[in-house]
Amino acid sequence: MTTPFRRSDHRGAAVLLMVLVVVSWVATIALPIVALSLMLHVEAPAERAVPIVIAWFMTPFMTAVGVTVGLVILQRSRRASRQ
């Protein structure tokens, strides 16, 4: 005996992914600013500070892109299952 598919089955996942998308994009902006601020306070040389700040940008950026793609795929699959 199988249970019928309900529309609300993916609602929790969609909400969680939406929260993760927002947090990831905020971190993409906030973390490099914090890293740059810390580097300026300790007077780090530019040849070391720039790669560190770029790394602090790229890590949450890649996470944000991945989570956003996951959210888009989930939303499209939910729309397709409704039709």
Side-chain angles (χ1 to χ4, degrees), residues 17 65-75:
L17 274 176
V65 168
V67 173
T68 303
V69 168
L71 179 63
V72 169
I73 290 171
L74 179 64
Q75 288 177 340

